[in-house]
Amino acid sequence: MKANLYYTNKKHWKWALATIALLIIGASLWYTNHLVKSIAEQETRQVKMWAAAMEQHAMMMSSTEEFFNKVSEQEQLRVDLLVNAYRRILDISTNENTAIYLDIIQNNISIPLVVTDENGKILFKSNLPPSQENKTTFDEEMQQYYSKFAPIKIDPGYGFVQWFYYNESLTYTELKAVLEGMIDHFMEEITLNSVGAPVIITNEDQSKILSFGNLDSIQMQDTAYVRHQLEVMRAENDPLQIEFMNTGKATIFYRTSDLVQQMRYFPVIQIFVFALFLIVAYLLFSSARRSEQNQVWAGMAKETAHQLGTPLSSLMGWVELLKMEEKPFVGTKEMEKDIERLQIVTDRFSKIGSVPMLEPTDINFLIRDTMDYLQKRFSKKFEFEVNLPEGELVMPLIPSLFRWVLENLTKNAIDAMGDHGKVTLDLIDDGDHIHIDLSDTGKGIPKSQLKQVFNPGFTSKKRGWGLGLSLAKRIIEDYHKGKIGVKSSVVGQGTTFRITLKK
């Protein structure tokens, strides 16, 4: 088989356009993927830098906490020194110089302390808050204020027992407030980090969530969601461990932001969008092209029918004149047959260019009559075999156009067989549909060309136009709502075309 120049050029253009489209899509996807990867790497670096900064900050916090613990130890030693000094002053059995002990007590300018008798009367006080300065009795308010540390009993040995109450020094309290503020700020800095990294802070055994950031607060109430997030974070980055003064050790889990996670799927989404766009565009253009082709077919068919009508009318008039001669012309009857044939052709073109109506037709009679007509007009070297079911089989058809389809298929079969061969037509009725198989013993069609045989311009004849099968496809599929195609074809053995119509 050979294709005409139009079909060859169209095929080349399709491949060229498809190649260009694939190159554009590939370049766009490559650049998008490169861009997404660069953004992801940049954010990962930022998260790593943030994590390193947090780790350094945690080390500073640990050093500060260690210093604070040492201050606390020194504070306790100072309290013990004050108690011993006060006890030595009250000890009347010693002849020591108490001046040094008085200096120790008087030089205390930071530790709040109160000394009372057994009845709660204040005997000595130092560094009290302003609200307690004027009090003479150790009341409930003071009991609560000095409840953090157990009071120290002082018994000088002569039946006069005193109680020594004390609290944290003002300096220690201020340092503690500063440290707690630093801890709170550190926690807030972790959970509300500027890089947008999701963070979860747990206690040492990960049984309790201390804080979290950049995660949905509602979903964080779901244990399964929290467990999944911790697994993702642990797989992506090694957790950081820090130690807080009040909470003990804490573990910081973190990962890259949800934006980067989503951007990793962007190339896949882009491929899907591109593919969807190309499919929709192809369907729209194919529909528009088919519509344009249909309009061209209809216009050509109408114009052909119109052009044939005028000379045909003239020929009919000349035949009538020939009949009126005294000695009739010997070819008048054959001329009438040719005119009748031209009328059929004109009718076919007229119906192709309009919207013909289906009418109940005995398809068995139509096929038998058409095949008998064709058999008489071909060489006796071609054998015809028609297998039809018995009786009538009424179908909604356009008789003149359906005859045209049978003629085109039969002529193609004759052309494919050369100077001899056999044409076989079988009609199969499966109840809902009928199938008409028309087979030949010709040269067959190569597999690479099976999808091309119904394209306009595709022909196996050196001087053919390649319109017969295209018209047959239009008649069967557009007008009769059926299907036509190549059922089978073997090179060197023959081809079978199948027509399927709904009853």
Side-chain angles (χ1 to χ4, degrees), residues 258-288:
D258 292 334
L259 178 61
V260 170
Q261 300 289 338
Q262 294 170 4
M263 289 182 68
R264 289 172 179 168
Y265 297 102
F266 181 74
V268 178
I269 298 173
Q270 191 179 24
I271 292 175
F272 175 77
V273 172
F274 267 126
L276 182 63
F277 173 77
L278 289 176
I279 291 173
V280 172
Y282 175 78
L283 293 176
L284 289 175
F285 280 114
S286 297
S287 177

Side-chain angles (χ1 to χ4, degrees), residues 224-291:
Y225 175 79
V226 174
R227 189 183 303 111
H228 172 70
Q229 289 296 322
L230 289 175
E231 290 175 358
V232 172
M233 293 176 179
R234 188 183 293 106
E236 188 172 332
N237 299 293
D238 293 331
L240 306 176
Q241 280 203 336
I242 57 177
E243 188 167 349
F244 289 141
M245 180 180 62
N246 294 329
T247 58
K249 288 186 178 180
T251 306
I252 303 174
F253 296 87
Y254 64 98
R255 62 172 172 81
T256 51
S257 67
D258 292 334
L259 178 61
V260 170
Q261 300 289 338
Q262 294 170 4
M263 289 182 68
R264 289 172 179 168
Y265 297 102
F266 181 74
V268 178
I269 298 173
Q270 191 179 24
I271 292 175
F272 175 77
V273 172
F274 267 126
L276 182 63
F277 173 77
L278 289 176
I279 291 173
V280 172
Y282 175 78
L283 293 176
L284 289 175
F285 280 114
S286 297
S287 177
R289 183 171 58 85
R290 283 195 299 270
S291 177

Side-chain angles (χ1 to χ4, degrees), residues 359-374 386-395 397 399-400 402-403 406 425 427 434 436:
E359 55 185 75
T361 305
D362 181 4
I363 193 170
N364 284 341
F365 172 80
L366 181 66
I367 291 174
R368 189 179 295 106
D369 183 64
T370 302
M371 299 306 289
D372 288 344
Y373 170 81
L374 292 173
V386 179
N387 302 310
L388 302 173
E390 296 181 358
E392 290 187 351
L393 182 56
V394 179
M395 297 278 297
L397 299 172
S400 59
F402 195 79
R403 285 180 186 271
L406 294 176
L425 188 147
L427 190 149
I434 64 161
I436 302 171

